[in-house]
Amino acid sequence: AFIDLSSQASVCPLGVLALQLYRLTIYQEWSPDFCPHLLAFLAPILDSFLAAVVNQYRDEGIPVDFANMLLLTDWPLLPIACNSVRIAQYMDPSPVHGRPTPPAIHVQRKPFVLDFWREEIMRPATRRRQLSMPAGDNEAVVRDLKRRLLGRTSPSARQVFRALLMSMSATQHTERVVLLTLLWGERLSIYLGAWLRRADALGHSARTMVFCLDEPSWQACTAAHDLPDLCLRGEHRSVFNKFAVVSVVLQAGFNVFFLDFDTVLLQDPLPHVL
């Protein structure tokens, strides 16, 4: 049973809200079956909170912004709420502390997975020497890429290393720089051919890599790209892959010019940034 906290909410709405959010995280981890009941209980408390805040600041002539209120308060509302979201996303029916946990109700399970391994996204400091290599020291970069292809490597990183070697052999430029974009879905894939033609018109087809996160985008890329090996096939449709693949290329000793797929190249951007 839940105690009626309406009166307390009208006196200290932020404190009561923080307390109930914390209770929610406890229920999520240990009694997820009660989560829907607690959420239903929280709804009137949130209404009371909003009414109390609006009335307080309306009398003082101050406009109310709920988001700013959460950021400015000393009550840890945002950290608790973020923790609750994390638990909801990664809740797993596997045993907790030696006892089984019942499946959660009305929560999603979204494991934190990447297309690359951690050591590929950020290599140890002792092995980042290629990041400071001069532009003309391409032979050392090629040797490093070939060595890494012989070692333990994730499938996605292996594609990146092969694409970088292909790009270096196909371009006449000495600068180690690639253009990179990311996409997935049939809705966007139909525009990839035209997007690649713009890169080709500016002379950058051999240094343009596309990270395709599903089959339709990969099929569109391999059909339209002059060098299909520069089409990288990913598995996990996540915007975080944008940062992961950029870091992998950087750790390989290349500069990266990342372009969101809705960017149209009207002229060569590289002379303005190199």
Side-chain angles (χ1 to χ4, degrees):
F2 299 113
I3 301 174
D4 184 6
L5 298 176
S6 300
S7 58
Q8 292 92 329
S10 62
V11 176
C12 185
L14 290 172
V16 172
L17 185 60
L19 174 62
Q20 297 309 311
L21 286 176
Y22 185 69
R23 289 180 65 186
L24 176 62
T25 62
I26 296 175
Y27 277 110
Q28 282 179 286
E29 292 195 281
W30 296 102
S31 299
D33 290 343
F34 287 98
C35 287
H37 305 290
L38 182 57
L39 289 172
F41 176 70
L42 280 176
I45 294 178
L46 183 58
D47 291 339
S48 299
F49 159 70
L50 291 174
V53 172
V54 169
N55 291 334
Q56 175 183 350
Y57 286 93
R58 180 186 297 159
D59 295 339
E60 300 177 15
I62 301 175
V64 178
D65 188 318
F66 181 68
N68 286 341
M69 186 65 61
L70 293 179
L71 291 171
L72 294 175
T73 179
D74 290 332
W75 290 99
L77 291 174
L78 280 182
I80 297 174
C82 290
N83 188 45
S84 176
V85 172
R86 180 189 62 80
I87 295 172
Q89 289 182 335
Y90 310 126
M91 177 102 44
D92 194 309
S94 58
V96 177
H97 300 304
R99 69 175 184 80
T101 302
I105 297 178
H106 302 308
V107 296
Q108 62 172 322
R109 181 173 183 268
K110 187 187 295 182
F112 185 74
V113 289
L114 296 174
D115 280 294
F116 303 97
W117 296 338
R118 182 182 62 180
E119 59 270 22
E120 295 165 348
I121 297 174
M122 181 57 68
R123 302 178 72 184
T126 56
R127 301 183 63 182
R128 296 181 201 165
R129 63 186 185 280
Q130 69 270 30
L131 296 180
S132 59
M133 287 180 183
D137 196 6
N138 290 336
E139 292 184 1
V141 173
V142 170
R143 288 196 301 269
D144 185 70
L145 288 172
K146 291 180 177 179
R147 179 187 60 78
R148 297 182 72 180
L149 283 171
L150 294 175
R152 180 177 176 270
T153 309
S154 69
S156 294
R158 187 172 296 274
Q159 293 181 75
V160 171
F161 300 152
R162 286 174 176 168
L164 292 174
L165 287 172
M166 172 67 71
S167 178
M168 291 185 69
S169 64
T171 182
Q172 302 300 319
H173 302 287
T174 58
E175 301 90 354
R176 296 190 304 274
V177 57
V178 297
L179 294 125
L180 178 64
T181 192
L182 172 148
L183 80 156
W184 69 80
E186 294 182 6
R187 182 177 64 87
L188 296 177
S189 299
I190 60 177
Y191 303 106
L192 182 56
W195 195 93
L196 289 171
R197 285 195 294 274
R198 286 304 306 156
D200 183 44
L202 298 172
H204 292 317
S205 179
R207 58 178 18 157
T208 300
M209 298 167 56
V210 183
F211 197 17
C212 310
L213 300 186
D214 64 1
E215 188 66 19
S217 59
W218 187 75
Q219 292 287 353
C221 185
T222 54
H225 206 304
D226 290 339
L227 296 174
D229 286 341
L230 301 192
C231 301
L232 314 175
R233 180 66 166 93
E235 298 294 335
H236 304 292
R237 292 181 290 180
S238 169
V239 175
F240 185 76
N241 262 322
K242 173 195 301 187
F243 308 102
V245 68
V246 165
S247 183
V248 171
V249 176
L250 287 173
Q251 298 298 318
F254 286 72
N255 292 308
V256 187
F257 193 83
F258 187 89
L259 296 164
D260 286 326
F261 189 63
D262 58 358
T263 302
V264 179
L265 291 174
L266 300 180
Q267 59 179 333
D268 189 356
L270 297 185
H272 301 283
V273 297
L274 291 181

